[in-house]
Amino acid sequence: MNATRTADADGDGNTVRVWLAERTYGDDEQNLIILTYATLDGERYLRKERALTSFTGPGRETKAALDVAPSELGEASADEQEYLAQAAQRTAERNEPDDAI
């Protein structure tokens, strides 16, 4: 795995940086946004579901990158890896990790 490891709040270095790769609306719920973050190699991902109403105010900004525990990540299928890698790399090239996008 080529994911960037970062230090977490406890300083044990056991987090992985993921970058926003996709933002879509939920199929069944028009009020639901699905954020997909991925490692730069596209092998691992994190999906977060948020209600559209939760996007208001600075405390609910969507960050360009997140540092998460490896246990929170799923493994992308071979079909998804290239797409996720390209999307995550684009976000990383255009933004700093803490940028609100």
Side-chain angles (χ1 to χ4, degrees):
M1 175 173 56
N2 296 327
T4 302
R5 294 235 177 233
T6 59
D8 64 8
D10 296 330
D12 66 6
N14 200 23
T15 62
V16 176
R17 177 158 293 159
V18 290
W19 293 86
L20 186 64
E22 186 176 70
R23 184 182 345 215
T24 59
Y25 289 96
D27 292 335
D28 298 336
E29 297 278 338
Q30 293 181 2
N31 194 25
L32 190 66
I33 303 288
I34 301 168
L35 303 172
T36 303
Y37 287 84
T39 55
L40 292 175
D41 59 13
E43 292 180 8
R44 311 276 315 261
Y45 70 93
L46 170 72
R47 278 208 177 100
K48 297 181 78 166
E49 295 181 355
R50 289 178 49 190
L52 186 59
T53 57
S54 72
F55 281 87
T56 58
R60 297 299 295 175
E61 293 176 332
T62 299
K63 298 294 185 183
L66 300 174
D67 295 329
V68 298
S71 61
E72 293 183 48
L73 300 175
E75 293 197 25
S77 70
D79 294 338
E80 295 175 306
Q81 286 180 10
E82 184 178 348
Y83 167 77
L84 290 173
Q86 289 174 356
Q89 289 169 17
R90 266 194 312 275
T91 300
E93 289 168 3
R94 297 175 183 168
N95 298 278
E96 294 297 319
D98 287 334
D99 286 351
I101 57 174

